[in-house]
PDB file of all heavy atoms in Angstrom:
ATOM      1  N   LYS A   1     105.660 151.394 122.351  1.00  0.00           N
ATOM      2  CA  LYS A   1     104.406 152.124 122.229  1.00  0.00           C
ATOM      3  C   LYS A   1     103.554 151.960 123.481  1.00  0.00           C
ATOM      4  O   LYS A   1     102.985 152.931 123.998  1.00  0.00           O
ATOM      5  CB  LYS A   1     103.633 151.627 121.003  1.00  0.00           C
ATOM      6  CG  LYS A   1     102.337 152.389 120.744  1.00  0.00           C
ATOM      7  CD  LYS A   1     101.628 151.865 119.504  1.00  0.00           C
ATOM      8  CE  LYS A   1     100.328 152.622 119.269  1.00  0.00           C
ATOM      9  NZ  LYS A   1      99.609 152.104 118.074  1.00  0.00           N
ATOM     10  N   ASN A   2     103.473 150.736 123.989  1.00  0.00           N
ATOM     11  CA  ASN A   2     102.681 150.479 125.192  1.00  0.00           C
ATOM     12  C   ASN A   2     103.266 151.184 126.410  1.00  0.00           C
ATOM     13  O   ASN A   2     102.536 151.651 127.290  1.00  0.00           O
ATOM     14  CB  ASN A   2     102.605 148.969 125.463  1.00  0.00           C
ATOM     15  CG  ASN A   2     101.749 148.247 124.439  1.00  0.00           C
ATOM     16  OD1 ASN A   2     100.894 148.848 123.793  1.00  0.00           O
ATOM     17  ND2 ASN A   2     101.986 146.946 124.276  1.00  0.00           N
ATOM     18  N   GLU A   3     104.585 151.256 126.456  1.00  0.00           N
ATOM     19  CA  GLU A   3     105.243 151.889 127.605  1.00  0.00           C
ATOM     20  C   GLU A   3     104.947 153.383 127.662  1.00  0.00           C
ATOM     21  O   GLU A   3     104.864 153.975 128.739  1.00  0.00           O
ATOM     22  CB  GLU A   3     106.752 151.654 127.520  1.00  0.00           C
ATOM     23  CG  GLU A   3     107.462 151.782 128.852  1.00  0.00           C
ATOM     24  CD  GLU A   3     108.861 151.179 128.823  1.00  0.00           C
ATOM     25  OE1 GLU A   3     109.018 150.066 128.310  1.00  0.00           O
ATOM     26  OE2 GLU A   3     109.769 151.848 129.322  1.00  0.00           O
ATOM     27  N   LEU A   4     104.810 154.008 126.491  1.00  0.00           N
ATOM     28  CA  LEU A   4     104.530 155.444 126.431  1.00  0.00           C
ATOM     29  C   LEU A   4     103.044 155.763 126.545  1.00  0.00           C
ATOM     30  O   LEU A   4     102.669 156.929 126.620  1.00  0.00           O
ATOM     31  CB  LEU A   4     105.083 156.022 125.115  1.00  0.00           C
ATOM     32  CG  LEU A   4     106.604 156.059 124.991  1.00  0.00           C
ATOM     33  CD1 LEU A   4     107.009 156.431 123.567  1.00  0.00           C
ATOM     34  CD2 LEU A   4     107.201 157.042 125.995  1.00  0.00           C
ATOM     35  N   ASP A   5     102.205 154.739 126.553  1.00  0.00           N
ATOM     36  CA  ASP A   5     100.762 154.942 126.593  1.00  0.00           C
ATOM     37  C   ASP A   5     100.300 155.078 128.040  1.00  0.00           C
ATOM     38  O   ASP A   5     100.195 154.090 128.756  1.00  0.00           O
ATOM     39  CB  ASP A   5     100.063 153.766 125.913  1.00  0.00           C
ATOM     40  CG  ASP A   5      98.548 153.914 125.920  1.00  0.00           C
ATOM     41  OD1 ASP A   5      98.055 155.029 126.176  1.00  0.00           O
ATOM     42  OD2 ASP A   5      97.861 152.905 125.672  1.00  0.00           O
ATOM     43  N   TYR A   6     100.007 156.310 128.465  1.00  0.00           N
ATOM     44  CA  TYR A   6      99.612 156.503 129.867  1.00  0.00           C
ATOM     45  C   TYR A   6      98.136 156.214 130.110  1.00  0.00           C
ATOM     46  O   TYR A   6      97.675 156.219 131.263  1.00  0.00           O
ATOM     47  CB  TYR A   6      99.975 157.911 130.361  1.00  0.00           C
ATOM     48  CG  TYR A   6      99.270 159.059 129.683  1.00  0.00           C
ATOM     49  CD1 TYR A   6      98.048 159.516 130.144  1.00  0.00           C
ATOM     50  CD2 TYR A   6      99.835 159.705 128.592  1.00  0.00           C
ATOM     51  CE1 TYR A   6      97.398 160.583 129.534  1.00  0.00           C
ATOM     52  CE2 TYR A   6      99.202 160.770 127.979  1.00  0.00           C
ATOM     53  CZ  TYR A   6      97.980 161.201 128.453  1.00  0.00           C
ATOM     54  OH  TYR A   6      97.342 162.250 127.846  1.00  0.00           O
ATOM     55  N   SER A   7      97.356 155.943 129.047  1.00  0.00           N
ATOM     56  CA  SER A   7      95.934 155.646 129.228  1.00  0.00           C
ATOM     57  C   SER A   7      95.733 154.323 129.981  1.00  0.00           C
ATOM     58  O   SER A   7      94.666 154.088 130.548  1.00  0.00           O
ATOM     59  CB  SER A   7      95.216 155.583 127.876  1.00  0.00           C
ATOM     60  OG  SER A   7      95.617 154.454 127.129  1.00  0.00           O
ATOM     61  N   LYS A   8      96.770 153.476 130.023  1.00  0.00           N
ATOM     62  CA  LYS A   8      96.647 152.200 130.737  1.00  0.00           C
ATOM     63  C   LYS A   8      96.488 152.426 132.248  1.00  0.00           C
ATOM     64  O   LYS A   8      96.044 151.540 132.963  1.00  0.00           O
ATOM     65  CB  LYS A   8      97.864 151.313 130.469  1.00  0.00           C
ATOM     66  CG  LYS A   8      99.173 151.877 130.997  1.00  0.00           C
ATOM     67  CD  LYS A   8     100.370 151.047 130.578  1.00  0.00           C
ATOM     68  CE  LYS A   8     101.670 151.671 131.066  1.00  0.00           C
ATOM     69  NZ  LYS A   8     102.852 150.935 130.599  1.00  0.00           N
ATOM     70  N   HIS A   9      96.874 153.638 132.705  1.00  0.00           N
ATOM     71  CA  HIS A   9      96.712 153.966 134.123  1.00  0.00           C
ATOM     72  C   HIS A   9      95.326 154.544 134.406  1.00  0.00           C
ATOM     73  O   HIS A   9      94.987 154.799 135.557  1.00  0.00           O
ATOM     74  CB  HIS A   9      97.769 154.985 134.562  1.00  0.00           C
ATOM     75  CG  HIS A   9      99.170 154.456 134.509  1.00  0.00           C
ATOM     76  ND1 HIS A   9      99.625 153.469 135.356  1.00  0.00           N
ATOM     77  CD2 HIS A   9     100.225 154.773 133.714  1.00  0.00           C
ATOM     78  CE1 HIS A   9     100.896 153.200 135.088  1.00  0.00           C
ATOM     79  NE2 HIS A   9     101.280 153.981 134.091  1.00  0.00           N
ATOM     80  N   GLY A  10      94.536 154.769 133.360  1.00  0.00           N
ATOM     81  CA  GLY A  10      93.208 155.344 133.539  1.00  0.00           C
ATOM     82  C   GLY A  10      93.151 156.772 133.052  1.00  0.00           C
ATOM     83  O   GLY A  10      94.005 157.227 132.289  1.00  0.00           O
ATOM     84  N   GLY A  11      92.135 157.503 133.500  1.00  0.00           N
ATOM     85  CA  GLY A  11      91.943 158.882 133.058  1.00  0.00           C
ATOM     86  C   GLY A  11      92.542 159.887 134.033  1.00  0.00           C
ATOM     87  O   GLY A  11      93.226 159.524 134.990  1.00  0.00           O
ATOM     88  N   ALA A  12      92.253 161.151 133.760  1.00  0.00           N
ATOM     89  CA  ALA A  12      92.689 162.230 134.646  1.00  0.00           C
ATOM     90  C   ALA A  12      91.615 162.455 135.713  1.00  0.00           C
ATOM     91  O   ALA A  12      90.425 162.520 135.395  1.00  0.00           O
ATOM     92  CB  ALA A  12      92.917 163.505 133.848  1.00  0.00           C
ATOM     93  N   VAL A  13      92.042 162.570 136.951  1.00  0.00           N
ATOM     94  CA  VAL A  13      91.125 162.731 138.084  1.00  0.00           C
ATOM     95  C   VAL A  13      91.048 164.198 138.473  1.00  0.00           C
ATOM     96  O   VAL A  13      92.085 164.839 138.663  1.00  0.00           O
ATOM     97  CB  VAL A  13      91.616 161.926 139.306  1.00  0.00           C
ATOM     98  CG1 VAL A  13      90.613 162.018 140.453  1.00  0.00           C
ATOM     99  CG2 VAL A  13      91.880 160.476 138.932  1.00  0.00           C
ATOM    100  N   LEU A  14      89.820 164.743 138.579  1.00  0.00           N
ATOM    101  CA  LEU A  14      89.672 166.068 139.187  1.00  0.00           C
ATOM    102  C   LEU A  14      89.628 165.832 140.677  1.00  0.00           C
ATOM    103  O   LEU A  14      88.588 165.496 141.255  1.00  0.00           O
ATOM    104  CB  LEU A  14      88.403 166.770 138.690  1.00  0.00           C
ATOM    105  CG  LEU A  14      88.225 168.205 139.212  1.00  0.00           C
ATOM    106  CD1 LEU A  14      89.423 169.081 138.852  1.00  0.00           C
ATOM    107  CD2 LEU A  14      86.952 168.832 138.672  1.00  0.00           C
ATOM    108  N   PHE A  15      90.807 165.955 141.303  1.00  0.00           N
ATOM    109  CA  PHE A  15      90.982 165.532 142.689  1.00  0.00           C
ATOM    110  C   PHE A  15      90.749 166.701 143.629  1.00  0.00           C
ATOM    111  O   PHE A  15      91.256 167.808 143.409  1.00  0.00           O
ATOM    112  CB  PHE A  15      92.392 164.973 142.858  1.00  0.00           C
ATOM    113  CG  PHE A  15      92.468 163.776 143.754  1.00  0.00           C
ATOM    114  CD1 PHE A  15      91.437 162.860 143.827  1.00  0.00           C
ATOM    115  CD2 PHE A  15      93.585 163.553 144.527  1.00  0.00           C
ATOM    116  CE1 PHE A  15      91.514 161.748 144.659  1.00  0.00           C
ATOM    117  CE2 PHE A  15      93.694 162.441 145.354  1.00  0.00           C
ATOM    118  CZ  PHE A  15      92.649 161.540 145.416  1.00  0.00           C
ATOM    119  N   GLY A  16      90.014 166.429 144.691  1.00  0.00           N
ATOM    120  CA  GLY A  16      89.660 167.467 145.654  1.00  0.00           C
ATOM    121  C   GLY A  16      88.165 167.680 145.711  1.00  0.00           C
ATOM    122  O   GLY A  16      87.674 168.565 146.420  1.00  0.00           O
ATOM    123  N   LEU A  17      87.421 166.841 144.986  1.00  0.00           N
ATOM    124  CA  LEU A  17      85.960 166.904 144.993  1.00  0.00           C
ATOM    125  C   LEU A  17      85.394 165.818 145.898  1.00  0.00           C
ATOM    126  O   LEU A  17      86.100 164.902 146.312  1.00  0.00           O
ATOM    127  CB  LEU A  17      85.411 166.740 143.576  1.00  0.00           C
ATOM    128  CG  LEU A  17      85.868 167.786 142.556  1.00  0.00           C
ATOM    129  CD1 LEU A  17      85.247 167.507 141.202  1.00  0.00           C
ATOM    130  CD2 LEU A  17      85.502 169.194 143.016  1.00  0.00           C
ATOM    131  N   LYS A  18      84.084 165.886 146.168  1.00  0.00           N
ATOM    132  CA  LYS A  18      83.448 164.980 147.120  1.00  0.00           C
ATOM    133  C   LYS A  18      83.224 163.575 146.562  1.00  0.00           C
ATOM    134  O   LYS A  18      82.763 162.695 147.302  1.00  0.00           O
ATOM    135  CB  LYS A  18      82.121 165.573 147.587  1.00  0.00           C
ATOM    136  CG  LYS A  18      82.287 166.856 148.409  1.00  0.00           C
ATOM    137  CD  LYS A  18      80.943 167.419 148.812  1.00  0.00           C
ATOM    138  CE  LYS A  18      81.116 168.692 149.642  1.00  0.00           C
ATOM    139  NZ  LYS A  18      79.805 169.288 150.011  1.00  0.00           N
ATOM    140  N   ALA A  19      83.511 163.367 145.291  1.00  0.00           N
ATOM    141  CA  ALA A  19      83.373 162.047 144.667  1.00  0.00           C
ATOM    142  C   ALA A  19      84.335 161.977 143.488  1.00  0.00           C
ATOM    143  O   ALA A  19      84.768 163.022 142.975  1.00  0.00           O
ATOM    144  CB  ALA A  19      81.931 161.822 144.206  1.00  0.00           C
ATOM    145  N   PRO A  20      84.697 160.790 143.033  1.00  0.00           N
ATOM    146  CA  PRO A  20      85.580 160.679 141.877  1.00  0.00           C
ATOM    147  C   PRO A  20      84.945 161.265 140.605  1.00  0.00           C
ATOM    148  O   PRO A  20      83.844 160.865 140.219  1.00  0.00           O
ATOM    149  CB  PRO A  20      85.790 159.166 141.736  1.00  0.00           C
ATOM    150  CG  PRO A  20      85.532 158.613 143.096  1.00  0.00           C
ATOM    151  CD  PRO A  20      84.435 159.470 143.653  1.00  0.00           C
ATOM    152  N   VAL A  21      85.636 162.202 139.992  1.00  0.00           N
ATOM    153  CA  VAL A  21      85.237 162.776 138.703  1.00  0.00           C
ATOM    154  C   VAL A  21      86.417 162.538 137.772  1.00  0.00           C
ATOM    155  O   VAL A  21      87.498 163.078 137.983  1.00  0.00           O
ATOM    156  CB  VAL A  21      84.923 164.281 138.821  1.00  0.00           C
ATOM    157  CG1 VAL A  21      84.633 164.876 137.449  1.00  0.00           C
ATOM    158  CG2 VAL A  21      83.745 164.508 139.761  1.00  0.00           C
ATOM    159  N   ILE A  22      86.215 161.700 136.736  1.00  0.00           N
ATOM    160  CA  ILE A  22      87.320 161.234 135.906  1.00  0.00           C
ATOM    161  C   ILE A  22      87.117 161.652 134.458  1.00  0.00           C
ATOM    162  O   ILE A  22      86.035 161.498 133.899  1.00  0.00           O
ATOM    163  CB  ILE A  22      87.447 159.682 135.949  1.00  0.00           C
ATOM    164  CG1 ILE A  22      87.277 159.169 137.373  1.00  0.00           C
ATOM    165  CG2 ILE A  22      88.774 159.248 135.342  1.00  0.00           C
ATOM    166  CD1 ILE A  22      88.333 159.566 138.340  1.00  0.00           C
ATOM    167  N   LYS A  23      88.180 162.169 133.855  1.00  0.00           N
ATOM    168  CA  LYS A  23      88.152 162.609 132.455  1.00  0.00           C
ATOM    169  C   LYS A  23      89.071 161.729 131.620  1.00  0.00           C
ATOM    170  O   LYS A  23      90.233 161.536 131.957  1.00  0.00           O
ATOM    171  CB  LYS A  23      88.616 164.073 132.360  1.00  0.00           C
ATOM    172  CG  LYS A  23      88.848 164.592 130.947  1.00  0.00           C
ATOM    173  CD  LYS A  23      87.561 164.741 130.178  1.00  0.00           C
ATOM    174  CE  LYS A  23      87.787 165.425 128.832  1.00  0.00           C
ATOM    175  NZ  LYS A  23      88.510 164.596 127.849  1.00  0.00           N
ATOM    176  N   THR A  24      88.532 161.170 130.530  1.00  0.00           N
ATOM    177  CA  THR A  24      89.363 160.449 129.580  1.00  0.00           C
ATOM    178  C   THR A  24      89.520 161.285 128.315  1.00  0.00           C
ATOM    179  O   THR A  24      88.740 162.195 128.058  1.00  0.00           O
ATOM    180  CB  THR A  24      88.753 159.083 129.222  1.00  0.00           C
ATOM    181  OG1 THR A  24      87.403 159.276 128.782  1.00  0.00           O
ATOM    182  CG2 THR A  24      88.752 158.154 130.401  1.00  0.00           C
ATOM    183  N   HIS A  25      90.520 160.964 127.520  1.00  0.00           N
ATOM    184  CA  HIS A  25      90.816 161.720 126.301  1.00  0.00           C
ATOM    185  C   HIS A  25      89.637 161.662 125.340  1.00  0.00           C
ATOM    186  O   HIS A  25      88.953 160.637 125.236  1.00  0.00           O
ATOM    187  CB  HIS A  25      92.060 161.136 125.633  1.00  0.00           C
ATOM    188  CG  HIS A  25      92.754 162.096 124.732  1.00  0.00           C
ATOM    189  ND1 HIS A  25      92.268 162.413 123.480  1.00  0.00           N
ATOM    190  CD2 HIS A  25      93.876 162.835 124.899  1.00  0.00           C
ATOM    191  CE1 HIS A  25      93.071 163.287 122.910  1.00  0.00           C
ATOM    192  NE2 HIS A  25      94.057 163.567 123.745  1.00  0.00           N
TER     193      HIS A  25
END
């Protein structure tokens, strides 16, 4: 279960913006 849990890597990054913008589930 832990191996399949990708939330341990953090959220989704909207990459290409002037600052980190992160979305979690």
Side-chain angles (χ1 to χ4, degrees):
K1 183 179 179 181
N2 290 337
E3 202 165 314
L4 291 171
D5 180 16
Y6 64 88
S7 69
K8 64 186 177 184
H9 295 292
V13 184
L14 184 57
F15 219 33
L17 300 180
K18 294 179 180 178
V21 175
I22 317 294
K23 171 69 173 71
T24 53
H25 203 284

